[in-house]
């Protein structure tokens, strides 16, 4: 059993005085961490552009500029946060857990104030200022300050490959549970059907929903904090720290990280744009916004079906191999959807379920890729940089999210979407269908190619790196 050792070499124990081994409380706690994250992340990914365009009446082009511009800020805040958690002296409750305690309420408040309905009565320039300030506060500062420590924490909860795979699985389950709540309840709450059959958004409901999600996220973060433990020992950081340029140059030689960054960027572009465009697809193509609730249940069902088996599948086949296969399946399904031009909602849902099986195979193990890469970096350089590696990956995910939101806004404008119009023309509706199916299909196939041919960490390589680091830890413990 691993000892909890801080940078000074002190063994940390539970209040009971005995060390608690890795177990179900850690898995449940880590699950609730992403549950809390996604109350704000998924709500923003799926509905913030709808709020900006439908409630505030801001053009999709302006929204796209905001989402893209915010990622420039993230280029600094994400990496800075990663360096902070790597080099700041650990607190009594660990290196990463304290940030969950410190930032849970700020991130909930920042998320809530992005959806103030009464801003719709402000001047156009004032709306843009409001959007810019509140979005940057949430995305680039508060969410960054909790998500990077949370994601990095998986590498110090356990060094065992199976344990890490289970943490990734439980994290994905947490995200799926949040996705189920956001995906099912939000369409029922924020949309209503007018007397003429048009789909109408309810501005006040956005504000109330954001506030409720904020409270729920704080409760989830609290469970994550109290149930998880940090166990992996760290060597004392050198007083002299390398510059950011040298650090990035070192990470630039990390082939698995570069491959996963590229894959994540394309994957988030596909997933987030698909989710965001689904709102417009069901508003304007299928003309049944409330059907989104059922569609979102189907989208998440595949994850729950796979979750009990994914650890064994990944152990037997390999994470890289499973992830690549999942992306191939998802890409094929969405390309077929594009060519069929389906008009039946049940049939569309059936194909969507098959696609989400493929995406689920990848997403259930995606966080285990990060811990493998952190280990690879330590083996290659001798330096443990959990926070920095995760920060680089997190930035890539935000870029993918921004591209999805930004390009989504640009595309809406390009295809002739009119924010103020109660309904769109048939030509625009058909273009929405094209974007919602073809873009994800092509992107998933690109991710398959990246994972199959560029990502080098096969099952054998991961096992070799784990053995090397385990031997290193045992020598460190023996020398104390």
């Amino acid at each position: 059993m691993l000892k909890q050792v801080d940078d000074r070499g002190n063994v940390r124990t539970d209040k009971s005085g005995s060390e608690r081994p890795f177990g179900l409380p850690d898995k449940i706690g880590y699950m609730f961490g992403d549950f809390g994250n996604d109350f704000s992340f998924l709500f923003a990914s799926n509905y913030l552009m709808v709020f900006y365009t439908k409630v505030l009446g801001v053009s999709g082009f302006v929204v796209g500029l905001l989402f893209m511009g915010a990622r420039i800020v993230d280029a600094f805040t994400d990496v800075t946060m990663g360096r902070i958690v790597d080099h700041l002296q650990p607190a009594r409750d660990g290196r990463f857990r304290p940030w969950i305690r410190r930032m849970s309420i700020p991130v909930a408040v920042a998320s809530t104030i992005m959806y103030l309905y009464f801003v719709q009565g402000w001047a156009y320039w004032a709306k843009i200022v409001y959007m810019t300030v509140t979005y940057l506060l949430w995305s680039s500062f508060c969410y960054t300050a909790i998500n990077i420590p949370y994601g990095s924490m998986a590498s110090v909860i356990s060094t065992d490959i199976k344990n890490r795979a289970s943490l990734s699985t439980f994290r994905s389950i947490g995200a799926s549970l949040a996705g189920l709540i956001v995906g099912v309840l939000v369409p029922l709450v924020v949309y209503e059907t007018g007397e003429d059959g048009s789909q109408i958004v309810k501005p006040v409901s956005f504000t109330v929903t954001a506030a409720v999600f904020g409270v729920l996220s704080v409760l989830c973060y609290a469970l994550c904090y109290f149930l998880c433990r940090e166990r992996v020992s760290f060597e004392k950081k050198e007083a002299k720290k390398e510059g950011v340029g040298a650090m990035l140059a070192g990470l630039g030689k990390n082939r698995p990280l570069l491959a996963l960054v590229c894959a994540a960027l394309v994957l988030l572009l596909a997933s987030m744009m698909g989710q965001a465009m689904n709102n417009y697809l069901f508003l304007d193509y299928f003309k049944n916004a409330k059907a989104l609730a059922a569609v979102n249940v189907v989208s998440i069902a595949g994850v729950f079906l796979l979750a009990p088996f994914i650890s064994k599948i990944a152990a037997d086949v390999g994470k890289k191999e499973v992830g690549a296969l999942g992306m191939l399946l998802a890409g094929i399904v969405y390309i077929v959807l594009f060519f069929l031009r389906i008009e039946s909602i049940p049939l569309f849902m059936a194909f969507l379920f098959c696609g989400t099986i493929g995406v689920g195979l990848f997403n259930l193990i995606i966080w285990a890729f990060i811990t493998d890469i952190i280990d690879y970096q330590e083996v290659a350089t001798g330096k443990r940089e959990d926070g920095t590696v995760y920060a680089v990956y997190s930035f890539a995910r935000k870029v993918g999210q921004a591209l999805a939101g930004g390009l989504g806004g640009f595309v809406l404008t390009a295809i002739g979407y009119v924010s103020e119009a109660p309904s769109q023309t048939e030509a625009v509706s058909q273009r929405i269908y094209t974007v919602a199916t073809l873009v994800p299909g092509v992107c998933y196939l690109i991710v398959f190619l990246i994972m199959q041919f560029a990502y080098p960490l096969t099952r054998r390589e991961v096992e070799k790196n784990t053995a090397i680091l385990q031997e290193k830890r045992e020598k460190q413990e023996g020398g104390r």
Side-chain angles (χ1 to χ4, degrees):
M1 182 174 63
L2 289 172
K3 295 181 179 180
Q4 270 187 285
V5 183
D6 63 21
D7 278 0
R8 295 189 177 94
N10 299 318
V11 177
R12 295 193 300 271
T13 61
D14 291 341
K15 291 182 178 180
S16 62
S18 60
E19 298 176 37
R20 193 192 76 194
F22 178 88
L24 185 60
D26 296 281
K27 300 175 187 179
I28 298 296
Y30 206 65
M31 177 191 75
F32 274 108
D34 215 39
F35 205 159
N37 274 343
D38 283 334
F39 272 123
S40 62
F41 182 80
L42 288 181
F43 191 38
S45 298
N46 295 349
Y47 296 100
L48 187 57
M49 186 161 67
V50 174
F51 179 76
Y52 286 160
T53 57
K54 290 288 191 179
V55 176
L56 301 189
V58 176
S59 74
F61 182 79
V62 172
V63 176
L65 287 178
L66 171 61
F67 288 167
M68 298 288 283
R71 302 295 77 85
I72 298 176
V73 179
D74 288 346
F76 298 95
T77 60
D78 280 16
V79 175
T80 299
M81 191 65 208
R83 301 301 282 173
I84 288 173
V85 298
D86 274 342
H87 291 279
L88 195 67
Q89 189 70 17
R92 291 177 59 85
D93 45 354
R95 182 182 297 275
F96 304 107
R97 287 175 67 229
W99 291 99
I100 297 174
R101 166 171 50 82
R102 295 163 184 159
M103 296 304 302
S104 58
I105 293 178
V107 75
V109 172
S111 174
T112 301
I113 62 175
M114 288 195 298
Y115 301 91
L116 301 180
Y117 70 93
F118 52 79
V119 174
Q120 64 184 333
W122 294 7
Y124 197 80
W125 67 267
K127 295 178 185 178
I128 295 176
V129 172
Y130 158 79
M131 289 163 50
T132 302
V133 172
T134 56
Y135 182 70
L136 287 176
L137 176 64
W138 169 73
S139 175
S140 299
F141 294 95
C142 294
Y143 187 77
T144 289
I146 198 169
N147 183 53
I148 288 176
Y150 163 74
S152 305
M153 187 170 65
S155 66
V156 299
I157 292 177
S158 175
T159 58
D160 184 85
I161 296 175
K162 293 181 180 179
N163 291 345
R164 289 178 169 187
S166 67
L167 286 175
S168 178
T169 299
F170 272 79
R171 175 172 183 171
S172 296
I173 292 173
S176 298
L177 289 172
L180 188 63
I181 293 175
V182 173
V184 173
L185 294 184
V186 174
L188 300 178
V189 172
V190 303
Y191 296 130
E192 64 180 356
T193 303
E195 294 181 358
D196 59 352
S198 62
Q199 302 299 301
I200 303 170
V201 297
K202 299 186 288 184
V204 178
S205 295
F206 275 93
T207 308
V208 174
T209 302
V212 171
F213 284 171
V215 173
L216 293 175
S217 70
V218 172
L219 295 176
C220 289
Y221 286 135
L223 288 170
C224 176
Y225 175 81
F226 286 112
L227 292 175
C228 290
R229 292 291 183 272
E230 298 183 19
R231 297 181 178 82
V232 179
S233 61
F234 287 92
E235 293 182 9
K236 185 178 177 67
K237 297 286 183 181
E238 297 293 334
K240 181 180 179 181
K241 301 181 180 66
E242 62 182 349
V244 174
M247 176 271 297
L248 291 176
L251 291 177
K253 299 176 183 178
N254 188 325
R255 181 184 166 192
L257 178 61
L258 293 178
L260 192 65
V261 161
C262 293
L265 196 155
V266 180
L267 175 66
L268 263 293
L269 173 62
S271 299
M272 295 295 104
M273 178 173 283
Q275 291 171 9
M277 294 303 295
N278 269 351
N279 286 283
Y280 298 95
L281 182 68
F282 281 84
L283 277 168
D284 301 298
Y285 180 82
F286 290 116
K287 300 187 186 305
N288 189 341
K290 290 188 179 296
L292 268 174
V295 169
N296 287 325
V297 171
V298 170
S299 299
I300 295 167
V303 173
F304 289 110
L305 288 176
L306 288 170
F309 313 104
I310 193 65
S311 293
K312 180 172 175 52
I313 293 173
D316 293 343
V317 180
K319 292 188 283 289
K320 165 185 172 170
E321 295 78 5
V322 171
L325 178 63
M327 288 294 94
L328 178 61
L329 172 61
I332 292 174
V333 169
Y334 274 87
I335 294 296
V336 171
L337 275 174
F338 164 69
F339 283 109
L340 290 182
R341 315 298 296 187
I342 292 173
E343 296 183 359
S344 166
I345 292 179
L347 184 58
F348 185 87
M349 290 168 60
F351 274 92
L352 193 64
F353 175 78
C354 296
T356 56
I357 290 291
V359 177
L361 280 171
F362 191 90
N363 282 338
L364 281 167
I365 56 174
I366 192 169
W367 305 109
F369 286 133
I370 298 300
T371 54
D372 292 343
I373 291 172
I374 290 171
D375 284 351
Y376 173 90
Q377 179 74 4
E378 184 175 3
V379 170
T381 66
K383 300 175 182 177
R384 187 79 186 180
E385 297 180 306
D386 308 69
T388 305
V389 170
Y390 187 84
V392 172
Y393 175 70
S394 176
F395 174 66
R397 285 178 60 84
K398 284 189 176 181
V399 170
Q401 180 195 8
L403 287 174
L407 292 178
F410 299 153
V411 167
L412 283 176
T413 300
I415 65 177
Y417 192 92
V418 181
S419 300
E420 296 82 6
S423 61
Q424 307 298 315
T425 65
E426 177 63 21
V428 171
S429 298
Q430 290 294 328
R431 293 168 192 156
I432 290 173
Y433 184 95
T434 297
V435 174
T437 54
L438 182 60
V439 172
V442 171
C443 288
Y444 288 141
L445 291 178
I446 292 174
V447 176
F448 160 72
L449 294 174
I450 292 172
M451 297 305 296
Q452 183 68 28
F453 299 106
Y455 185 78
L457 294 184
T458 61
R459 182 179 63 174
R460 181 175 299 179
E461 287 297 313
V462 169
E463 291 173 348
K464 183 177 72 173
N465 289 339
T466 300
I468 292 173
L469 293 179
Q470 184 64 33
E471 182 180 357
K472 177 181 177 181
R473 303 276 186 259
E474 290 172 354
K475 288 181 179 179
Q476 289 174 1
E477 294 298 328
R480 289 194 172 104

